[in-house]
Amino acid sequence: MKGLNVVILAAGKGERMMSKKSKVMHEIMGKPMIGHAVERAEELAPDAVVVVVGYGREGIEGYLKDTGVLFSLQAEQKGTGHALLTTEHLLKDGDVLVLYGDVPLMEGPTLRAFLASYEETGDITFMVTDVDNPKGYGRVIMEGDIIQRIVEENDATEEQKMISTINTGICIIPRSAFPFLKAITPDNRKGEYYLTDICTIAAREGKSVRGYRHNKALEVLGINSRKELLLANMAMKDRILDNLLEKGVTLLDRNIYISPSVAIGKDTVISPNCHISGKTTIGEGVVIGPNSIIKDSIIADNVIIKGFVSIEGTSIETNAEIGPFSRLRPETFIKEKVKIGNFVEVKKSILKAGAKASHLSYIGDSEIGSNVNIGAGTITCNYDGTKKHKTIIEDNAFVGSNTSLVAPVRVGKNAVIGAGSTIAKDVPEDALGVTRAPQKNIEGYSSARREK
Ligand code: UD1
Ligand code: CA
């Protein structure tokens, strides 16, 4: 193709969303709709991508600032035809593919096939599809594959409303057809300049407008309401799950949320109700128990996650075991064969190979050496009310249950901490650190009390 511009229309408010923010900033599987559209556009390697903004433009421009897209301001939303015309000064040589910011499920191969078909004729081409329920869409009146007219829902007669061929919104406008755009008038119920009116104008001038059929109604779903937003989320989620199944991941249920940005290796098994998002990479042969939330984390091969865990910003190395009911917070590094058990919270800490914290602990701002045993109820007192301090426990140390480690503090290699201690001073290598008060037994105490 000699040159290609992609214009994405996204200036409308989207009244039917009943929302304060612009419609195209609503997310589908964790990414704003407009992000999906821009991704599809960029895959075509066009000479320019222009996004038409208006309502909520700050949000959209902020979100897209690191992409190479150009913005065209449509200050007043006078219709899709008007929106396209605002971009003229930003366009490079070549024809214009128009995408709608609220049609986010479109797939790359579909667009490439559409462009290829356009190249054969060079005619204005609209992508159309047949649907069971055409309500709300523009109805396409065709003879063979030539479009006579597209009638919007508001302007359609009862008879026209029965037409099940609808306009997906996606179209390609040759540059030579731009004069037709300028001839569009707002004489319709909504008083808008409808891009779709280019069909009647071109026909009047003896130019044919082609309808390209793409009969995958779900892919061209336009999002106008929260109900359609939910449908789109479910459809994209299913697509992601299907893709993982094809790559050799086992899913024990469809009720699993995985964002498109997540990579998962083969033979990993994921249980129901897991929510995995952000920049997360999961290796091969990992087992993830039910109700686990994992975000922005790296999980190596053969890790076992026993379920009901919350893991964020954490790196976990092979053969580690986490959970159930553990919480791993950002900047945590779990090395190989570490065990983190129930009701253990770890923040900004490293646990080296083979270390164990099996029950009820808080480990924050700490460095835990290899094969260290952290007893039940161990707490690092990392915060003095103003600053955070570090706890260092060297290799092979044994921390007895119910220990408070008042940071900054260091426990040396092979040291032992007696259960119930409050450790506020360093414990040297190989030593026993204990702060327990001596035990006093009062003989006959209980029977004396009963006699009173
Ligand atoms: C539009 C089409 C309809 C098609 C449907 C497919 C027109 C006139 N109608 O209807 O034939 O079946 O999409 O989903 O084109 N926008 C602007 N500026 C404007 C108006 C709209 O940028 O002045 C943007 C919106 O932000 C949105 C897109 O264009 O992303 C479509 O607008 P919308 O109002 O949702 O059109 P529909 O009524 O759905
Ligand atoms: Ca729409």
Side-chain angles (χ1 to χ4, degrees):
M1 191 174 247
K2 50 190 181 315
L4 178 69
N5 298 277
V6 182
V7 170
I8 303 173
L9 304 187
K13 176 173 188 218
E15 293 288 352
R16 286 166 282 176
M17 292 298 283
M18 309 299 281
S19 175
K20 282 187 200 156
K21 64 180 179 186
S22 144
K23 173 162 71 178
V24 298
M25 285 303 288
H26 283 267
E27 292 183 358
I28 295 182
M29 292 308 283
K31 182 183 292 187
M33 276 187 238
I34 188 69
H36 291 288
V38 167
E39 244 176 43
R40 292 298 80 72
E42 284 177 340
E43 280 166 11
L44 300 169
D47 300 287
V49 178
V50 183
V51 179
V52 182
V53 291
Y55 184 84
R57 63 183 284 221
E58 302 79 12
I60 299 173
E61 290 183 5
Y63 171 65
L64 294 173
K65 68 177 184 315
D66 297 329
T67 66
V69 307
L70 305 170
F71 298 101
S72 173
L73 175 63
Q74 186 195 23
E76 255 186 278
Q77 283 76 66
K78 295 184 187 168
T80 47
H82 177 258
L84 179 55
L85 270 180
T86 65
T87 66
E88 209 178 0
H89 65 290
L90 295 169
L91 299 176
K92 304 279 191 299
D93 285 346
D95 300 329
V96 182
L97 172 68
V98 179
L99 303 180
Y100 284 12
D102 67 346
V103 181
L105 295 177
M106 181 52 51
E107 297 196 74
T110 305
L111 289 176
R112 280 192 289 277
F114 179 58
L115 286 174
S117 149
Y118 162 75
E119 272 186 273
E120 284 171 18
T121 64
D123 293 336
I124 301 170
T125 309
F126 279 78
M127 193 187 291
V128 305
T129 190
D130 292 306
V131 292
D132 294 334
N133 178 14
K135 193 163 188 281
Y137 291 101
R139 309 300 202 283
V140 188
I141 302 169
M142 292 174 77
E143 233 182 72
D145 66 345
I146 301 298
I147 299 179
Q148 255 104 44
R149 200 181 152 198
I150 299 177
V151 194
E152 293 306 308
E153 172 88 27
N154 277 330
D155 306 300
T157 62
E158 288 309 312
E159 200 181 327
Q160 287 166 335
K161 281 184 186 164
M162 307 286 282
I163 298 173
S164 59
T165 303
I166 59 116
N167 171 29
T168 66
I170 291 153
C171 60
I172 182 146
I173 312 287
R175 280 305 265 285
S176 57
F178 263 63
F180 301 154
L181 281 179
K182 292 172 191 160
I184 293 173
T185 54
D187 49 359
N188 50 59
R189 281 261 173 89
K190 273 177 113 181
E192 288 187 359
Y193 295 83
Y194 284 161
L195 171 54
T196 43
D197 282 351
I198 198 171
C199 300
T200 32
I201 294 165
R204 208 162 59 207
E205 302 291 323
K207 290 271 178 209
S208 40
V209 177
R210 213 161 282 274
Y212 172 89
R213 275 184 195 277
H214 179 69
N215 278 338
K216 275 197 197 163
L218 200 56
E219 207 179 313
V220 296
L221 175 73
I223 313 302
N224 299 307
S225 65
R226 302 269 180 171
K227 199 169 171 184
E228 286 155 346
L229 184 69
L230 171 63
L231 265 181
N233 264 297
M234 292 185 343
M236 191 171 285
K237 191 189 84 162
D238 274 339
R239 221 185 248 176
I240 293 167
L241 297 186
D242 286 342
N243 186 36
L244 289 169
L245 292 167
E246 257 168 48
K247 286 184 175 154
V249 175
T250 295
L251 305 173
L252 300 184
D253 198 288
R254 278 218 169 253
N255 192 14
I256 294 172
Y257 180 105
I258 301 175
S259 323
S261 49
V262 174
I264 305 180
K266 60 168 82 79
D267 293 322
T268 283
V269 179
I270 303 175
S271 304
N273 294 323
C274 288
H275 191 285
I276 308 175
S277 65
K279 282 200 163 57
T280 294
T281 308
I282 297 173
E284 298 183 359
V286 174
V287 176
I288 303 178
N291 302 292
S292 299
I293 302 169
I294 302 172
K295 188 178 177 193
D296 296 327
S297 295
I298 298 169
I299 297 173
D301 297 347
N302 303 318
V303 167
I304 296 176
I305 293 172
K306 293 179 175 166
F308 295 92
V309 300
S310 170
I311 298 174
E312 185 178 352
T314 292
S315 148
I316 305 176
E317 293 191 359
T318 52
N319 298 303
E321 280 186 37
I322 315 291
F325 303 102
S326 315
R327 180 167 184 215
L328 305 180
R329 292 169 50 201
E331 295 182 64
T332 292
F333 296 87
I334 304 289
K335 297 293 190 178
E336 61 277 7
K337 293 191 178 154
V338 163
K339 280 195 180 146
I340 304 286
N342 45 267
F343 309 108
V344 174
E345 174 180 346
V346 186
K347 185 217 81 173
K348 202 176 181 181
S349 294
I350 176 167
L351 280 92
K352 295 185 187 162
K356 286 191 188 117
S358 301
H359 337 263
L360 301 151
S361 283
Y362 173 62
I363 301 170
D365 303 293
S366 302
E367 211 181 294
I368 311 293
S370 54
N371 300 314
V372 164
N373 186 81
I374 304 280
T378 297
I379 305 293
T380 55
C381 310
N382 60 329
Y383 186 48
D384 63 10
T386 15
K387 274 200 202 132
K388 302 280 168 67
H389 302 280
K390 238 185 137 169
T391 299
I392 296 171
I393 303 176
E394 293 177 355
D395 296 352
N396 303 311
F398 180 94
V399 179
S401 298
N402 197 29
T403 294
S404 303
L405 295 151
V406 183
V409 71
R410 175 188 291 267
V411 176
K413 257 193 228 165
N414 298 311
V416 174
I417 310 278
S421 296
T422 298
I423 301 296
K425 284 191 297 193
D426 290 357
V427 179
E429 187 176 326
D430 221 32
L432 167 69
V434 60
T435 65
R436 204 182 302 154
Q439 183 169 331
K440 192 158 75 176
N441 290 338
I442 301 170
E443 298 286 346
Y445 173 84
S446 182
S447 53
R449 201 172 65 148
R450 274 201 306 276
E451 279 160 22
K452 264 194 201 166

